[in-house]
Amino acid sequence: AQSVTQLGSHVSVSEGALVLLRCNYSSSVPPYLFWYVQYPNQGLQLLLKYTSAATLVKGINGFEAEFKKSETSFHLTKPSAHMSDAAEYFCAVSGAGRRALTFGSGTRLQVQP
Amino acid sequence: EAGVTQSPTHLIKTRGQQATLRCSPISGHTSVYWYQQALGLGLQFLLWYDEGEERNRGNFPPRFSGRQFPNYSSELNVNALELEDSALYLCASSLGTGPYEQYFGPGTRLTVT
């Protein structure tokens, strides 16, 4: 069975501050891990993916995530928040043979001016 | 390259009616996935189609069904609509080979009154 836990349903940061969104996963098989972003009334946009290559993954819009097997974590970071980063972020997991994504409950990021 | 498209954007139905939602995948993608995003319930996997066959379904009743056409487009049918079926229905597509990252459409907002 696979599951994803996102700590913090709401995160608020100041513009220019570090963004850290937490994701822990549980998977009985080596996982594929993903981060998606959803802007209001839109679909999901893929930010980045982990597929067992490099443990530090760089994505779009300056985001990156580090896969830590020992901590079963895949936290999303961005060095400097921008107002346009305000959105909801979802961590998701899939595994070999199970291609359906299992999503976390999401973290709403608010960026204060 | 055109992304995943979905139609209609909005759909309003009455309880007991049937709804049909449509999805066109990215060119070259053979797999189509359907997800439900209902208020308070998060993103839940509904159905996965690949090469015209239903490969997996989530924990939803049989009145949720669909199909995939030879051109890989897909439709989702929801019969005997209930009020709790009101949600954003998201379609995603992926290649038929790993790591199967999924690209999402903008969604269809279904409202059941």
Side-chain angles (χ1 to χ4, degrees), chain B residues 37-58:
Chain B
Q37 187 175 29
L39 201 61
L41 295 178
L43 281 152
Q44 298 185 77
F45 166 69
L46 262 168
L47 290 159
W48 165 30
Y49 292 95
D50 183 62
E51 297 286 357
E53 300 286 332
E54 181 182 306
R55 301 297 184 183
N56 197 11
R57 67 181 293 129

Side-chain angles (χ1 to χ4, degrees), chain A residues 11-87:
Chain A
V11 170
S12 182
V13 300
S14 299
E15 192 173 19
L18 172 72
V19 175
L20 171 60
L21 305 182
R22 300 177 186 275
C23 171
N24 288 88
Y25 71 92
S26 172
S27 176
S28 57
V29 297
Y32 296 136
L33 292 159
F34 307 88
W35 275 99
Y36 286 88
V37 60
Q38 186 177 34
Y39 298 98
N41 299 313
Q42 294 187 24
L44 285 87
Q45 181 181 12
L46 179 65
L47 277 176
L48 49 78
K49 63 187 181 190
Y50 168 75
T51 61
S52 76
T55 56
L56 182 61
V57 180
K58 294 188 183 299
I60 62 171
N61 301 338
F63 285 93
E64 63 181 37
E66 185 172 7
F67 173 73
K68 292 187 176 180
K69 185 177 179 179
S70 60
E71 298 178 8
T72 61
S73 69
F74 190 57
H75 301 332
L76 182 70
T77 61
K78 181 174 181 178
S80 177
H82 192 271
M83 296 296 290
S84 61
D85 294 328

Side-chain angles (χ1 to χ4, degrees), chain B residues 34 47 49 54 57 62 64-68 74-77:
Chain B
W34 289 94
L47 290 159
Y49 292 95
E54 181 182 306
R57 67 181 293 129
F64 286 84
S65 65
R67 54 180 170 166
Q68 187 178 35
S74 174
E75 67 179 28
L76 172 69
N77 295 293

Side-chain angles (χ1 to χ4, degrees), chain B residues 71-85:
Chain B
N71 66 354
Y72 303 112
S73 67
S74 174
E75 67 179 28
L76 172 69
N77 295 293
V78 188
N79 294 317
L81 285 164
E82 300 179 2
L83 295 177
E84 53 263 35
D85 296 334

